[in-house]
Amino acid sequence: MRRLNRKKTLSLVKELDAFPKVPDSYVETSASGGTVSLIAFTTMALLTIMEFSVYQDTWMKYEYEVDKDFSSKLRINIDITVAMKCHYVGADVLDLAETMVASADGLVYEPAIFDLSPQQKEWQRMLQLIQSRLQEEHSLQDVIFKSAFKTSSTALPPREDDPLESPDACRIRGHLYVNKVAGNFHITVGKAIPHPRGHAHLAALVNHDSYNFSHRIDHLSFGELVPGIINPLDGTEKIAVDHNQMFQYFITVVPTKLHTYKISADTHQFSVTERERIINHAAGSHGVSGIFMKYDLSSLMVTVTEEHMPFWQFFVRLCGIIGGIFSTTGMLHGIGKFIVEIICCRFRLGSYKPVNSVPFEDGHTNNHLPLLENNTH
């Protein structure tokens, strides 16, 4: 009884077979079918390789939301060289809350030579070239995000030579922690001193002819320091044409959370516009000589996530490629074969010529083909 039920089950399963097998004796092969099959297999192999390369690639997904974190501190990373001696200049931050952050809280003043060495000039030239390409092709920013922590540091390399000239500039580098409100980081003449209504700089003790705010921004970023990330002002160099010259940078900072397969960091992107002018009170151009970076924070936060195609999607796309090529090539081969058969049949009908008519004794003619006579032996 069990064997009978098993046989019925197997026969039922066989009837549900959607892939019936055709005996080899009924299969007819042709040169055209072999050629189409070869083209189909080659196309499938090429598309499979291309699809696998797409599967290995990743892309950056951008999401936007309101930044609700205003209680934490904002870190400013600074590496600026000014063409004045260190005891002539002072750097600090003053925000809208009238909170002053002195440079002594995290910045270091180092005597330096303003002119770069040959190796440093090559580094600066490459950095400026990358900056120009980033302005033309914004999609390169995704490549920079992916290569973070994998590439070498973007910091200014040390000098490879031993100059004999004495230092004529001051390199100000380090980091400061400020409130997450709009503020003004500036470098001007004289050291900063606290003041009940803000702050002031001791500029009266410095000779006016020694003013020279030519500067080079080797690095300026906000938030967590991420090696490999190139910021908009990195590699910028400005040469002052007058002693009384003001350089202004207006910066909009956007909080950014970066999540890639290599790192996860809370950093900040920023956009910048710049302006420079000569201070001339007689001509109505008022102000103070120096370098002023006025920054403001955006209320939106950007989350940048590196994503990868899931395996199931790759498998489905691969099955679609293979099945689609099989169906398409089979259909095209059938259509081509049908067209060829029609053309060949027309040629055969065109080459047919009727035989001469045979007259009968009563005057009628016989237009029918003569029957073939069987030769019997």
Side-chain angles (χ1 to χ4, degrees), residues 153-172:
S153 176
T154 56
L156 178 69
R159 301 184 70 96
E160 74 279 4
D161 56 355
D162 189 11
L164 300 177
E165 55 183 314
S166 59
D168 58 350
C170 183
R171 183 179 181 183
I172 305 173

Side-chain angles (χ1 to χ4, degrees), residues 54-341:
V54 173
Y55 172 71
Q56 286 185 319
D57 194 16
T58 59
W59 62 87
M60 309 305 293
K61 179 182 178 182
Y62 292 81
E63 297 177 326
Y64 304 90
E65 59 181 318
V66 177
D67 184 18
K68 300 177 182 178
D69 181 17
F70 291 101
S71 59
S72 61
K73 294 290 185 177
L74 175 65
R75 172 170 169 160
I76 306 178
N77 306 295
I78 302 163
D79 189 355
I80 301 176
T81 302
V82 184
M84 293 180 66
K85 294 186 177 181
C86 292
H87 57 274
Y88 288 159
V89 295
D92 58 279
V93 177
L94 184 66
D95 59 24
L96 287 182
E98 297 186 354
T99 302
M100 175 182 171
V101 180
S103 60
D105 295 338
L107 297 182
V108 178
Y109 293 76
E110 295 180 359
I113 297 176
F114 189 77
D115 292 333
L116 297 174
S117 65
Q119 183 179 354
Q120 291 176 330
K121 288 181 179 180
E122 182 65 20
W123 169 87
Q124 186 187 35
R125 188 187 68 83
M126 290 299 297
L127 196 58
Q128 291 175 349
L129 179 62
I130 295 174
Q131 293 283 19
S132 62
R133 293 299 300 271
L134 283 172
Q135 293 178 1
E136 297 174 359
E137 303 179 16
H138 299 285
S139 59
L140 291 178
Q141 186 65 46
D142 293 349
V143 180
I144 294 178
F145 282 148
K146 294 179 186 179
S147 61
F149 274 131
K150 293 192 297 184
T151 57
S152 58
S153 176
T154 56
L156 178 69
R159 301 184 70 96
E160 74 279 4
D161 56 355
D162 189 11
L164 300 177
E165 55 183 314
S166 59
D168 58 350
C170 183
R171 183 179 181 183
I172 305 173
R173 62 174 180 170
H175 61 272
L176 297 173
Y177 288 95
V178 298
N179 298 322
K180 291 189 69 173
V181 295
N184 182 3
F185 169 75
H186 52 271
I187 302 173
T188 187
V189 179
K191 301 299 180 182
I193 57 174
H195 192 273
R197 295 185 179 180
H199 75 297
H201 288 261
L202 295 175
L205 304 178
V206 182
N207 186 8
H208 188 270
D209 294 334
S210 62
Y211 287 14
N212 184 6
F213 283 100
S214 300
H215 62 281
R216 183 178 60 254
I217 304 175
D218 297 323
H219 180 78
L220 179 69
S221 64
F222 297 83
E224 183 179 349
L225 186 61
V226 182
I229 299 296
I230 299 177
N231 297 277
L233 287 177
D234 293 353
T236 301
E237 182 174 293
K238 297 291 184 181
I239 303 299
V241 297
D242 192 270
H243 295 294
N244 291 332
Q245 192 158 353
M246 172 190 287
F247 297 90
Q248 294 176 304
Y249 299 92
F250 302 93
I251 300 172
T252 301
V253 183
V254 181
T256 304
K257 290 185 177 181
L258 182 61
H259 301 288
T260 67
Y261 290 104
K262 296 294 182 181
I263 63 168
S264 180
D266 290 336
T267 182
H268 292 71
Q269 302 179 83
F270 65 89
S271 61
V272 58
T273 56
E274 55 187 68
R275 182 189 178 195
E276 56 185 81
R277 59 188 176 93
I278 298 175
I279 304 300
N280 187 350
H281 299 287
S285 178
H286 304 290
V288 179
S289 303
I291 305 166
F292 297 86
M293 298 182 178
K294 299 180 180 181
Y295 61 89
D296 194 3
L297 279 86
S298 173
S299 59
L300 292 179
M301 180 177 64
V302 181
T303 302
V304 185
T305 308
E306 185 178 7
E307 291 193 343
H308 185 272
M309 180 188 296
F311 178 77
W312 66 266
Q313 186 175 355
F314 167 71
F315 183 73
V316 170
R317 288 164 65 100
L318 194 61
C319 292
I321 289 174
I322 297 174
I325 292 176
F326 261 120
S327 302
T328 304
T329 52
M331 182 176 60
L332 293 177
H333 179 253
I335 294 174
K337 188 176 181 181
F338 177 72
I339 295 174
V340 170
E341 289 180 353

